[in-house]
Amino acid sequence: MTQRPTAHEGADTVAEVLSALADPTRRRILDALADRGEATATALAAQLPVSRQAIVKHLGILDRAGLVAGHREGRESRYRVIPERLGVTARWMDRVAADWDSRLSAIKRLAEGE
């Protein structure tokens, strides 16, 4: 039986994802993985202007945020994007945007004397 996350757990997920995505290098890594399907840290380092060691550290942060998963293949780990937490974060952003739209509409109605 699958349990739905509580509001607090959802907030934790959003905070972890936003924190991980705050770094432009991590966003570029996610984009590269999304384009390739999966890749090793070595392949990502060849594509991006950072060292393999830096890529590994960024992948660790993305992994802890639940945005990527790695599996061993021979001597290297191959990483792929896990989209579920991005979906949770996108839904949260949609709710926030809808709340602001409602607030701005109410302000507009008040300002226009309706």
Side-chain angles (χ1 to χ4, degrees), residues 14-89:
V14 169
E16 289 170 355
V17 168
L18 292 177
S19 178
L21 294 178
D23 185 279
T25 300
R26 288 193 283 275
R27 292 193 304 271
R28 290 182 71 188
I29 290 169
L30 273 180
D31 287 342
L33 286 172
D35 289 344
R36 298 180 109 186
E38 69 176 29
T40 64
T42 302
L44 291 167
Q47 185 177 348
L48 300 169
V50 292
S51 69
R52 183 188 178 288
Q53 291 168 314
I55 294 287
V56 169
K57 287 181 181 182
H58 285 298
L59 285 167
I61 292 166
L62 291 168
D63 184 41
R64 285 189 295 281
L67 296 172
V68 301
H71 67 277
R72 297 290 292 179
E73 198 169 285
R75 294 187 326 175
E76 290 205 289
S77 292
R78 299 188 66 77
Y79 292 87
R80 64 183 174 83
V81 174
I82 304 296
E84 288 81 12
R85 285 191 160 205
L86 289 170
V88 169
T89 304

